[in-house]
Amino acid sequence: MIYDLIIVGGGIGGASLAAVMAQAGRSVLLLELSTVYEDRVRGEWIAPWGVAETRRLGLYDTLVAAGGHHLTSHVTYDETRDPAEAEATPLPLGIFAEGVPGPLCIRHPVHCQTLFDAAAAAGAQALRGVTVQSVELGASPSVTYLHEGAEHTARAALVVGADGRQSSVRRAAGIALTQDKPHHWFAGLLVGDAAGWNDPILGLGLSITYRDTRLVSDILKHTTPGAQPDFRPYAEERAERMRRLKAAADLQAGLDMEFGDAARERRRRYHEAAAADPTLGMHGFAVMAGPEAVPAEVFGAEHRARVLGAGA
Ligand SMILES: Cc1cc2nc3c(=O)[nH]c(=O)nc-3n(C[C@H](O)[C@H](O)[C@H](O)COP(=O)(O)OP(=O)(O)OC[C@H]3O[C@@H](n4cnc5c(N)ncnc54)[C@H](O)[C@@H]3O)c2cc1C
């Protein structure tokens, strides 16, 4: 059998794409390395614009039924702010995406398992404990893998690599990994960084991944099985989306993740100035409402200089 789609990696990206494409009637083989989704600190918070993407994908109700719950208000604590004053002015979180009460939180292993089960229920052949041995790309793509002690080779019109930062599919395709130099590390329970990620200071990896799933699945659904999909609009949107989110993350990191007297004083001045001029916080609005929800200038040098020099 030749599948319409082989997806390597059954995390958020791979399992959601498998579920959506199987629901659309395509034949899907989903190959996941782990036998149990490990309980590691991972994405547990989906921004309002990411929640809107789960709705568009038809996955929202499934996530809520699996225990997903909304946060409806947010308090920013900082050494420059009096906690009582901060608590007196919480940010309501239902204002960022229409019909979305706020970010959706769900435990990461439960999240992955729910999507994996949804893919299987929709008719995808969903396998766990798979070791991928080789990926052949080109005119007749195939994946050779070990499952339950036997070697198999499966063919498909398209192979999707959703196997995280160390992606074997990416390596087989000869695509270089682009990585930024870390600006800071989170210590304690939150250590590391993410696949399909931006700076974890924003916690947007899940929303980025759901947007990817929606755009890729839309293109695939509108492509006749076996025909060459045109991913150019997706690539263009993604490049601009990531440029904007990276600019917002760099700014947020510079503001919130630097220490010492000068940085503390800059934060204090910023909070004061932003209370009087909400346009200073537009990059933060984009984190919640989506990078396209604010003008492009917000991600440029002028806005950055305004924020970092606020009140000076
Ligand atoms: C500490 C931390 C905190 C985070 N917090 C947030 C947050 O609050 N909000 C948010 O939006 N994002 C957050 N993220 C980011 C988010 O977790 C990721 O963006 C998201 O998990 C990416 O999903 P993915 O499916 O692309 O990749 P992954 O989650 O990496 O999934 C890849 C899957 O592929 C499987 N796999 C790997 N290799 C193979 C192989 N060779 N064959 C088959 N399967 C394979 C893996 O087992 C895994 O299931 C956080 C990340 C980290 C590390």
Side-chain angles (χ1 to χ4, degrees), residues 36-300:
V36 174
Y37 291 111
E38 244 182 87
D39 192 4
R40 290 182 293 180
V41 183
R42 275 293 176 108
E44 312 250 329
W45 179 98
I46 312 175
W49 65 277
V51 178
E53 295 293 358
T54 67
R55 286 223 161 120
R56 293 168 85 166
L57 287 164
L59 295 170
Y60 173 79
D61 291 343
T62 307
L63 297 181
V64 170
H69 55 279
H70 287 283
L71 300 180
T72 54
S73 79
H74 169 95
V75 176
T76 299
Y77 293 97
D78 185 80
E79 58 194 331
T80 64
R81 302 183 80 195
D82 171 12
E85 196 185 299
E87 283 162 19
T89 52
L91 177 67
L93 296 176
I95 60 171
F96 294 106
E98 209 183 326
V100 176
L104 187 74
C105 298
I106 180 168
R107 201 172 144 245
H108 195 80
V110 172
H111 194 167
C112 292
Q113 187 65 51
T114 301
L115 294 172
F116 187 88
D117 291 345
Q125 188 174 4
L127 306 180
R128 304 294 299 263
V130 172
T131 305
V132 170
Q133 296 193 300
S134 65
V135 179
E136 294 296 327
L137 301 175
S140 176
S142 67
V143 177
T144 299
Y145 61 93
L146 282 177
H147 184 240
E148 293 177 347
E151 186 180 281
H152 308 265
T153 295
R155 297 185 187 284
L158 185 71
V159 175
V160 174
D163 46 347
R165 263 192 313 159
Q166 306 303 330
S167 173
S168 54
V169 179
R170 173 179 55 72
R171 267 183 270 119
I175 299 168
L177 178 66
T178 22
Q179 274 182 305
D180 296 323
K181 192 166 175 290
H183 172 272
H184 55 270
W185 293 95
F186 284 94
L189 290 178
L190 195 62
V191 178
D193 58 11
W197 67 303
N198 194 358
D199 188 318
I201 194 166
L202 300 186
L204 288 184
L206 299 173
S207 302
I208 291 168
T209 305
Y210 274 121
R211 169 77 55 87
D212 290 335
T213 296
R214 204 249 308 159
L215 294 178
V216 168
S217 62
D218 277 354
I219 291 170
L220 292 177
K221 283 187 214 167
H222 290 99
T223 305
T224 312
Q228 185 73 31
D230 182 0
F231 287 119
R232 280 172 302 182
Y234 162 61
E236 279 165 27
E237 187 278 345
R238 196 180 205 276
E240 176 59 10
R241 176 178 13 133
M242 295 307 286
R243 184 191 74 77
R244 290 181 175 213
L245 293 178
K246 184 169 152 28
D250 284 350
L251 181 50
Q252 201 80 43
L255 193 62
D256 288 342
M257 288 291 157
E258 288 182 11
F259 304 97
D261 291 344
R264 195 176 304 119
E265 176 55 15
R266 188 170 60 201
R267 267 200 305 285
R268 192 197 57 72
R269 286 199 313 259
Y270 169 77
H271 285 303
E272 216 170 77
D277 176 5
T279 65
L280 280 174
M282 293 279 267
H283 57 283
F285 188 89
V287 169
M288 292 289 192
E292 62 291 328
V294 302
E297 302 84 79
V298 169
F299 308 99

